[in-house]
Structures are given as C-alpha cells and as structure tokens.
C-alpha cells in the first residue's frame, strides 16, 4: 500500500486534495459515485488528474456499507494537518448514528477547518448540520430525510426539491446519484466545463442536471403518479410518435376510451392535462437531442412534433426558462 507521506506528496502535486469522510453503514454509491468523478477529472493545465482522493474514518480500516462490499479507509489522524481542497461527507443509514456521535462530529469539524470547500452527499447533510456547518445556510438532502433535517436543525434553510445546492463554500446534494451531479458541478467550477463534460461522457451520464432541477425527473414523476402502470404504454407510444397529431382524441383511442372519460381520468391521476403531458415528453426528447445530437434546432423541433422553432422555443421558455439554443450551448457535451 502506498505510504501516507507518498500519498500526501502525490495529492499536493495534484493541487486539489479531496477527502471523503465515511462511517459504518454508508450508501456505497454516495461514496463511489463522486469518488469516480474526482478520480478521473482531467486538469487542462497540467494534463493530469485534477484531484487526489482519500477516504478517511475515525480509526481507519474497513468500513461497512449498505451492500455486501466494505471499503478500506485511512485513520483521520493522518489528515488533521493536511491541506484539504474539498471535504465530502457521504450519507447512508449510518448518518442517523453518526450525527449523534461527538467523535464523528469533532472529526468533521476538524477537517472542515482545513478545507476550502465542504460537501455532503444525501443524508451526509445530517452530519454537517449536527456539526453546525449548515447553520444559516440553504441545504438539501435526500427527499426522505428533508423533514428530519428541517425538524432537527431549525437554523438550516432546508429546500426539498433541488438536486444540489451551493451556499458559499458549502455544497449539499440530494439522494445518491445527485452526488455525481454535484461532483461534476464542482469539477466544472474548478477545472472548467469541458473537463466535467469529459468525465460525464466517460461515465455515460448526463451533464444537464443543474442544481436547481428537481430531485424527481419528469419520467420518475410520471412513474410515481402512475403507480399501477395504467398509462405506461401510452407514454412510451407518445415518445415514439411525436410527429403525430397527438390530440386527446387519438390518445383516448389508444386507450380504448372516450375522449371525455380519458381526459378526466388522466388529469385526475397524473395531475396535468393530456396536452401538457405530450408537451412535456416532447421537451424531454428535444433536450436529449440538443445535448447529444448533431441536428439543427429546426430539425429537432420538427422531429419532436413542435413543427417550428418558435413553438419549441416558447415551450422551453415556459417549462425550463431557457431557449433551445441556450440550452444546447450550456449542456451540449462537446
């Protein structure tokens, strides 16, 4: 195993040491998702990896996760004098115990004092809050833990919807995969958007989820609302037939229902009209094509059933508050 002094030398050479804090019963992806991002983010100046990563716990050794895999860690004592660029506290069911462990909180505070940036993934925000690091700040965590965070720490300005929030030098992220989005945003801030996009592309993940976006994707929202799957086949069919005249009568016929009965049942269950649902699906497909395709905005508008650029522009502005052209400029993985 590489010696601690060698690791510190390597980390300092890379200029941006990232320290992950773990404790028993973490969520494995809370750690390895952001760890993968930071471990492979290219620095355009040095042409090498932009970060040096370490995983630490109170006493070092193997730390359990919520899977069959345990992960190795180094004792925090080896990092109490180290310069830290980014500190990341991961989450998991163990956060409910860690947030009441004074040794863990002392560890986090000691490392935070040496860090330029402090982050949490998922329920790691509970640990940051218990350590007093979120007082007076906006913060988010997994939607299932937001109520706990809000009730236990009234000085924290909890927001339920965003996938991540940056407040000063403190970043918090929502559940599990949102930690990857946050890590990519950190890389973009440090090394530039091109470096973050290269990592996102290598991980086959999207770079389009800005922090203000909802924890719930439109697809997931539909699945949650349509818990019985009654409209699932219809939604797939709409996505594959966007060039059709998708009026309520055609959707109703696809469901073997009258237009009036279909519109009433769909709106009651899904919380929006069939017309709005079709527009939302058209926007989702257009977003993907703008991010990854080579077609012009006009061609995409036609392919997605908007028929002309202006109609698609109005739909984007109404839903995303950004034009298709600006969306492509900001999120295209070039």
């Amino acid at each position: 195993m590489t010696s601690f002094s060698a690791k510190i030398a390597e980390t300092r050479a890379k200029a941006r040491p990232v320290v992950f804090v773990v404790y028993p019963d973490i969520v494995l992806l809370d750690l390895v998702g952001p760890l993968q991002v930071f471990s492979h983010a290219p620095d355009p100046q040095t042409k090498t990896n932009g970060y040096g990563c370490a995983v630490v716990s109170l006493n070092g050794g193997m730390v359990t996760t919520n899977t069959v895999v345990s992960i190795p860690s180094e004792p925090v004592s080896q990092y109490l004098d180290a310069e830290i660029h980014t500190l990341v506290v991961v989450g998991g069911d163990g956060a409910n115990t860690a947030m009441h462990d004074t040794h863990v909180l002392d560890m986090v505070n000691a490392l935070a004092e040496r860090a330029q940036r402090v982050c949490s993934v998922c329920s790691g925000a509970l640990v940051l809050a218990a350590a007093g690091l979120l007082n007076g700040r906006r913060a988010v965590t997994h939607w299932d833990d937001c109520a706990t965070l809000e009730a236990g720490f009234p000085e924290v300005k909890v927001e339920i919807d965003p996938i991540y929030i940056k407040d000063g030098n403190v970043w918090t992220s929502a559940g599990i995969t949102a930690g990857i989005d946050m890590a990519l945003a950190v890389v973009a801030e440090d090394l530039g958007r091109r470096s973050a996009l290269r990592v996102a592309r290598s991980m086959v993940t999207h770079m389009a989820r800005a922090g203000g976006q909802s924890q719930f994707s439109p697809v997931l929202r539909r699945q949650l609302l349509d818990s019985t799957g009654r409209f699932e086949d219809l939604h797939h069919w709409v996505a594959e037939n966007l060039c059709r005249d998708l009026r309520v009568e055609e959707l109703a016929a696809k469901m073997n229902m009258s237009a009036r009965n279909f519109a009433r049942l769909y709106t009651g269950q899904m919380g929006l009209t069939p017309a709005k649902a079709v527009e939302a699906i058209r926007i989702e497909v257009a977003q993907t094509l703008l991010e990854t395709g080579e077609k012009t905005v006009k061609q995409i508008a036609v392919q997605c059933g908007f028929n002309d650029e202006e109609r698609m522009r109005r739909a984007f502005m109404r839903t995303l508050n950004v034009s298709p052209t600006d969306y492509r400029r900001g999120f295209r993985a070039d």
Side-chain angles (χ1 to χ4, degrees), residues 23-27 62-67 69-71:
Y23 43 81
D25 203 16
I26 62 167
V27 169
M62 302 301 292
V63 176
T64 59
T65 74
N66 66 333
T67 72
V69 177
S70 295
I71 53 98

Side-chain angles (χ1 to χ4, degrees), residues 87 89 98-102 104-110 112-113 118-120 123-139 149 152-157 167 169-172:
L87 178 70
V89 178
M99 65 187 285
H100 299 294
D101 188 326
T102 56
V104 171
L105 300 183
D106 287 345
M107 169 179 64
V108 170
N109 272 314
E113 288 180 0
V118 177
C119 306
S120 66
S123 56
L126 296 173
V127 180
L128 288 189
L133 296 171
L134 298 183
N135 288 347
R137 296 184 184 275
R138 298 169 55 236
L149 182 61
F153 305 97
E155 294 184 45
V156 181
K157 303 172 185 176
D167 190 332
N169 70 330
V170 177
W171 299 57
T172 52

Side-chain angles (χ1 to χ4, degrees), residues 112-293:
E113 288 180 0
R114 307 193 64 82
Q116 297 178 38
R117 176 193 290 122
V118 177
C119 306
S120 66
V121 181
C122 197
S123 56
L126 296 173
V127 180
L128 288 189
L133 296 171
L134 298 183
N135 288 347
R137 296 184 184 275
R138 298 169 55 236
V140 68
T141 185
H142 189 287
W143 59 266
D144 202 30
D145 293 310
C146 282
T148 300
L149 182 61
E150 190 169 32
F153 305 97
E155 294 184 45
V156 181
K157 303 172 185 176
V158 181
E159 298 186 19
I160 297 175
D161 210 35
I163 58 173
Y164 63 83
I165 290 175
K166 174 190 176 185
D167 190 332
N169 70 330
V170 177
W171 299 57
T172 52
S173 66
I176 307 179
T177 57
I180 296 175
D181 295 281
M182 179 183 70
L184 288 168
V186 167
V187 171
E189 181 173 277
D190 292 342
L191 305 176
R193 186 166 185 81
R194 187 175 297 275
S195 293
L197 288 169
R198 285 185 60 184
V199 179
R201 176 174 286 179
S202 72
M203 295 176 67
V204 197
T205 187
H206 290 290
M207 183 61 186
R209 295 213 303 171
Q213 291 192 21
S214 174
Q215 293 192 39
F216 298 100
S217 70
V219 174
L220 180 56
R221 283 185 183 275
R222 282 196 294 271
Q223 291 172 342
L224 289 171
L225 290 169
D226 185 23
S227 59
T228 63
R230 182 174 192 174
F231 301 112
E232 183 175 2
D233 289 342
L234 177 67
H235 293 147
H236 287 309
W237 180 81
V238 168
E240 293 172 357
N241 293 272
L242 294 178
C243 287
R244 298 175 70 105
D245 185 6
L246 297 174
R247 298 184 184 182
V248 67
E249 290 80 8
E250 182 159 7
L251 301 181
K254 192 70 179 173
M255 295 292 295
N256 295 316
M257 299 171 66
S258 70
R260 181 176 181 179
N261 191 37
F262 167 73
R264 178 179 60 81
L265 289 176
Y266 189 92
T267 303
Q269 182 164 335
M270 302 303 296
L272 75 171
T273 65
K276 288 294 185 183
V278 169
E279 181 180 82
I281 294 173
R282 283 184 165 134
I283 290 173
E284 292 162 33
V285 175
Q287 285 178 272
T288 299
L289 293 173
L290 289 166
E291 294 164 21
T292 61

Side-chain angles (χ1 to χ4, degrees), residues 4 75-84 106-107 110-111 114:
F4 169 70
V76 68
S77 59
Q78 296 185 347
Y79 286 84
L80 295 178
D81 293 326
E83 295 301 321
I84 300 172
D106 287 345
M107 169 179 64
L111 294 173
R114 307 193 64 82

